[in-house]
Structures are given as structure tokens and as C-alpha cells.
Amino acid sequence: HLDMDAFFAAVEELLHPELKGVPFGVGGMGMLSTSNYEARKYGVRAGMPGYIAKKLCPQLVFAHSGFDHYRKFSDEFKAVVAEYDPHFSSAGLDELTLNVGPFFARQRAKRGDDTAEEQPALPSTGKTAAWVDAQRAASGTGEGAEADAEGVTRDRFLPSHADASAARTVEQLAFEIRARIYAKTRLTASAGIAPTPALAKILSNFEKPDGQSVLAAATVADLQAFMADQPIRRIAGVGRVLDELMAGLGYKTCAEVFNDRVRLCHVLTPKTFEFLLCASIGCQGSFMGFGGAETNTADGENAPDGAPASHEAEYKRKSVGAERTFGPMQSVAALMTKAESIFDSAYTHLRKAELKSRQVGIKLKRRTFEVTQTSRWLPEYSSDREALWAAFESLLAPITHEYAQYRLLGCRFTELREESDNSPAPPVPTHALPAVGTATGKGPKLGCDQLRIDQLFTRVAKKPPRTEAQPSQSDSLLASSDDDDDGDDDDVAIVAVTTPQRPCGPSRECVDVLSISSSSESSSALSSDGEDAIVL
């Protein structure tokens, strides 16, 4: 995994050399995209409002040359990477993941080729900026560059193309790629080397800036041992809200998540639980066909054995959207104009991807940084602008009178399907239990003081078994177990009541949790029928 170091800020320093050594952020008073390392010493971070950053660092300077410059440098460094893996996966302008396995396979097959350029041995670690600059100084020309037969200027101490690579190990290859990026763009990159993209992304942050780190893991046990001490916040995909929720429950490391997985599966949503469990044992993420040996064709003719025709063939896009941060709006009309512009941006991406959507969502952030998100389902999948806009407008209508209270608005299309897919739409799902917590700028909200996991699971002393009498109200669901073989009667149960009158779809039963409690008195009251109870 390659991650450019403070990318936007580094580009600004190239365009404006007077910013070097000065703490600055990329953006404005509303929001910062990133900051340079001098500003980070004061606590200034990406995603921070500019006026808060100014309070942390009064001498902070704002800079923003525009995304056209950022895209130009992004294209240049990605062009270098594409020589090694044309199917790399990129999640943004400043980072990407590549699979170097097929590259080494090609190099082994060509190692006896007489046309291959002979290059001196490369370092396997270190700072590429210092190394490239030193090599150029030692060349006697200052820049160390010369023009080849075709008139292309290159550094003599670096391969002109990936096919001429002198790397014999993955560490040397990572250094070579980083050195070539710096030689071409004057921007540094950090790298992480690991068996999976998710682990490689974690390692890419270990030696920042301008460094690389490798995980020499040969077994699943090695991966799990590495992840055990990693903070949950370090997992790719875990944001501040989920991190605070897990910390509130009493979990800080991946090992704690794995060791208490049985209880966590009852507390978290299935999707969140599976995500955290996979991450805690190091098996999160896959290459999804990245790094094919040759450029893949539509029918997979040139794809390597066992690989899909391309990573798009296996990857299914889950959402399309756009969001913008803005200053205080002066009228309802101004808010609606901004909303329509954001909607059109998201809709353009939807049409470009040749997709249609069945669920339209809206994201709103107040000036107090509270975030709310809601969505509306459509009867059928649609790519019609008027139908999608009507759904988005209906979500926006209830808040338009508060036009001056919002600083961010987003539109997102989910439940996607290819435009050519005309199969019948399934019934709209009805979720039985709401998710625990909401995404707000102030952290998770549980409707009460957040309880730790031990308080959520309250063990109650076992009472005499109940009689044959049946419960008088609606059917109750009582799950219990006593599998610990310790000789104690310490069955664990979850008390809930079914509500079959709610439409939940075929072969699905809705369940309402009776109470949230951590006190033995409440537990005893709910388990007065003589059974143990865990009250969630």
C-alpha cells in the first residue's frame, strides 16, 4: 500500500516554496483537507474546521491551489505504479494498493533476458528523498539525469521502466517505486507491505513520512499476533464514532474484540460485528483480482488462472454520492440551489457508472457538528432524475426552514443495480432492531448513559424452575445456555418479546428488546418467572 505523505500540503509546497517550514493547512475557515507536518505539531488535522485550527495555531496559513494541480501530481505518481501493476486499486488521489506477486512472476520468467538493464543493488529501506538527492549529487551533474536514445530524460541510477527493475525482494521493489515517484514528482510516499491490502494500509503509517514497513507473516497465527495489540482506531474503516462506541463498551484493542466476540455478537449489528471480527484476526480485505499478469480483456481471455477478468468483475459498488461543505446560507432558495448542485453531482456519477438506485439518502451536518443521516426507499429501481430528485427533495423539505444552521449537505444513492438489470425488485426490507447509537459529531448516543459490556450483560442468580403455566401475554423469546461445564447454575439468557404483527418479510421474525438495564433489581423483575435473564 502506497500513501503519499501529506499529499495536498506537499503539492502546495512545490507550487509555493515560501510555505516550507511554515505551518499551513489546505482549505479555509470552513474546513481543512489536510495540513503540513509543522501544523500537525499544534494538533491541526485533516477534517478540522479552519477557525478551530486557527485557535490551536494562530500563525496558521491557509493555502488551496485547486484540485487540477492535485490531480496532475496524482496522475504522475500513479503512472509509475501502473508499470508494476496496471490493476492497482485506488481509494483517492493520494493512496493506492497494488499486488506485486504477478510482477515478480514476470521478472523471474525474464531474468535471463539480455536486453534487461543492469542496475546497482537498491536499498531495502530508508528515506528515498535523501537517497535520490545523494545519488544525483554524486553523479557530478547536480541532477544526475541524462537523455536516452529517444530523448527521454531519466536518472541513471534508477530503472527507466518497471521491466528494467533491479529489485529482487519486495522491500527493494517498494523502495524502487517510492524512489521513482520522488524522482519524477519531488513528492515522497510511504509504503506498507503485507499479505492483504488492509494490513498493508495499516503498515503504511508506521514509518511516515518517507518510509516503509513490512509484515513478515507466514501463518494466520502470525497475522492474529500482529493485530492483537493494534488499537481499534487503527483498523482501516473505523472512524471516530465507532472507536468511541467501542471504547465506551470497554474495548480498545483488537485482541479484546476477539476474546469477547461471543458477547459482542449480541450487541453490535451483524455487519459491524463481522467487520471487526475479521479485522481483529487479520483477514479483513482481499485483493479482488488486483494485479493480473496481463491487461485483462472483457471476457477474461488473458486473465491469470483462477483470477476474474478484472477487479471490477468481482467488486460490486455499494453506493454513489457527493457531499459539500459550505458557509452559512442566506435563504431557503440558496440552500435548495446548493442541494440541487450536490444532487446533480451524485446523479452524474450514477449515470456514468450505468447504475440505477432504489434508496436515496441525505446527510446533514449542523454548524454545531451534529450529523444526521436518513434515506427513502423507492418502489422500484430507477435512474430517472425526476424520481430520484423527488425522493431527495422530500428528505430535504423538513429542514429547509433551518437553512442557516447547516454547514454540510450530502446526497447518496444506495441499493444499486446495473442499468440493464430489469429483474423484479425484492420487497422493501423492514429492520426489526435499530442500530445501537447514531452518527453524530458528538459521538455515539444510546438514549441513556452508555453502559460498558459488563453492565449490559447482567447475571442474575438462578431461581427455582417455573411451573407448567404458560405466559399470559404474547409469546416470549428466552434463550439460555449453560455450556461452561463449571458446575455452576449460571445460565445466560436474553429476554425479548416477539411482535409478529409487524411486517418483516418472509421467514423473519421481529423482536423488540424489553428493557435496557444494568441493575439486578430490574433483571429480577423481568425474570420473575423463575429463569435467569440477561437484560439488554
Side-chain angles (χ1 to χ4, degrees):
H1 186 90
L2 284 172
D3 191 356
M4 302 300 290
D5 300 319
F7 179 62
F8 293 167
V11 172
E12 292 292 343
E13 287 188 3
L14 284 179
L15 299 175
H16 307 285
E18 67 274 11
L19 290 174
K20 290 185 178 180
V22 177
F24 73 90
V26 179
M29 292 295 284
M31 185 64 67
L32 297 182
S33 299
T34 188
S35 61
N36 66 347
Y37 288 103
E38 284 75 11
R40 295 181 188 185
K41 297 175 183 178
Y42 296 88
V44 178
R45 294 288 185 268
M48 177 179 288
Y51 67 88
I52 294 180
K54 270 285 192 180
K55 292 180 180 180
L56 295 174
C57 179
Q59 66 270 36
L60 186 74
V61 177
F62 295 129
H64 184 63
S65 298
F67 276 90
D68 289 342
H69 294 287
Y70 306 147
R71 291 190 184 96
K72 172 181 175 294
F73 282 95
S74 177
D75 291 343
E76 288 182 0
F77 100 80
K78 288 179 180 179
V80 174
V81 175
E83 297 178 11
Y84 298 86
D85 178 10
H87 307 300
F88 66 81
S89 172
S90 178
L93 294 177
D94 62 340
E95 63 178 326
L96 53 82
T97 302
L98 66 156
N99 183 359
V100 299
F103 170 80
F104 277 112
R106 294 196 303 268
Q107 291 299 98
R108 284 193 297 269
K110 297 170 59 177
R111 196 155 290 172
D113 190 348
D114 294 335
T115 62
E117 299 181 32
E118 291 295 332
Q119 298 291 339
L122 289 167
S124 57
T125 187
K127 306 291 185 182
T128 57
W131 184 82
V132 170
D133 291 342
Q135 293 294 318
R136 285 177 171 175
S139 68
T141 62
E143 287 297 320
E146 63 178 11
D148 58 19
E150 298 178 356
V152 178
T153 302
R154 68 178 185 87
D155 289 293
R156 294 189 297 271
F157 52 86
L158 286 173
S160 59
H161 192 275
D163 292 338
S165 172
R168 293 296 181 264
T169 66
V170 67
E171 293 89 347
Q172 289 181 337
L173 182 64
F175 187 92
E176 176 182 296
I177 295 174
R178 293 169 49 231
R180 289 188 62 198
I181 290 173
Y182 177 78
K184 184 175 183 178
T185 67
R186 303 294 295 177
L187 299 175
T188 62
S190 296
I193 306 164
T196 69
L199 290 173
K201 181 176 176 63
I202 292 175
L203 268 76
S204 67
N205 291 307
F206 281 12
E207 298 295 334
K208 273 186 169 291
D210 195 14
Q212 63 187 55
S213 183
V214 61
L215 174 61
T219 65
V220 174
D222 293 337
L223 299 181
Q224 188 170 347
F226 167 75
M227 289 300 299
D229 296 329
Q230 300 301 321
I232 294 174
R233 185 67 173 88
R234 192 168 283 170
I235 299 172
V238 173
R240 181 176 56 82
V241 172
L242 180 56
D243 182 51
E244 289 180 357
L245 176 61
M246 297 302 294
L249 290 171
Y251 301 95
K252 295 182 179 179
T253 67
C254 292
E256 292 170 347
V257 171
F258 179 76
N259 293 335
D260 211 14
R261 59 193 181 279
V262 174
R263 291 197 296 181
L264 273 176
C265 73
H266 294 292
V267 176
L268 302 174
T269 62
K271 185 176 180 180
T272 301
F273 171 71
E274 181 180 352
F275 165 74
L276 290 177
L277 181 62
C278 290
S280 69
I281 59 177
C283 65
Q284 173 199 9
S286 65
F287 277 103
M288 299 186 297
F290 299 153
E294 298 181 47
T295 302
N296 294 322
T297 59
D299 58 3
E301 178 181 349
N302 294 328
D305 293 340
S310 66
H311 66 271
E312 289 87 355
E314 187 174 307
Y315 173 71
K316 183 179 180 182
R317 191 165 191 173
K318 295 183 179 181
S319 67
V320 174
E323 61 183 50
R324 298 288 185 273
T325 301
F326 43 82
M329 291 292 167
Q330 303 302 315
S331 65
V332 173
L335 178 63
M336 293 302 296
T337 300
K338 176 65 70 173
E340 189 163 9
S341 173
I342 295 169
F343 172 86
D344 285 337
S345 178
Y347 182 72
T348 300
H349 290 305
L350 183 76
R351 299 298 296 138
K352 185 177 180 180
E354 299 182 350
L355 297 170
K356 52 187 177 181
S357 170
R358 197 185 178 195
Q359 189 177 28
V360 182
I362 188 172
K363 176 181 177 181
L364 294 161
K365 181 185 290 186
R366 289 179 172 270
R367 309 210 70 77
T368 54
F369 294 92
E370 293 174 326
V371 177
T372 57
Q373 299 185 71
T374 185
S375 62
R376 174 153 296 178
W377 286 77
L378 303 177
E380 300 290 339
Y381 287 89
S382 175
S383 59
D384 178 66
R385 186 192 182 281
E386 296 304 318
L388 296 174
W389 168 251
F392 183 71
E393 190 176 27
S394 68
L395 296 171
L396 187 64
I399 61 93
T400 53
H401 65 286
E402 299 180 308
Y403 56 84
Q405 302 303 315
Y406 294 95
R407 66 187 315 274
L408 179 145
L409 191 150
C411 173
R412 187 158 299 277
F413 301 116
T414 54
E415 293 298 320
L416 303 179
R417 177 180 285 185
E418 293 183 1
E419 182 70 40
S420 58
D421 187 349
N422 295 317
S423 58
V428 175
T430 302
H431 302 291
L433 293 175
V436 178
T438 58
T440 73
K442 296 183 178 179
K445 303 292 182 184
L446 300 181
C448 61
D449 291 338
Q450 183 171 337
L451 304 179
R452 294 176 66 85
I453 192 73
D454 291 331
Q455 294 172 304
L456 286 173
F457 285 80
T458 304
R459 194 177 297 278
V460 184
K462 188 172 180 66
K463 297 185 177 182
R466 63 180 176 181
T467 62
E468 295 295 328
Q470 298 296 320
S472 57
Q473 296 184 353
S474 58
D475 294 339
S476 63
L477 178 66
L478 184 61
S480 64
S481 66
D482 188 16
D483 300 328
D484 51 4
D485 296 327
D486 58 1
D488 297 332
D489 292 328
D490 56 355
D491 292 354
V492 173
I494 299 173
V495 176
V497 59
T498 60
T499 54
Q501 68 273 19
R502 288 169 54 187
C504 293
S507 68
R508 181 182 295 181
E509 192 173 45
C510 298
V511 179
D512 289 330
V513 175
L514 286 179
S515 176
I516 298 179
S517 173
S518 63
S519 65
S520 58
E521 292 81 2
S522 298
S523 299
S524 299
L526 286 171
S527 58
S528 58
D529 58 359
E531 291 288 341
D532 288 353
I534 289 179
V535 183
L536 294 182

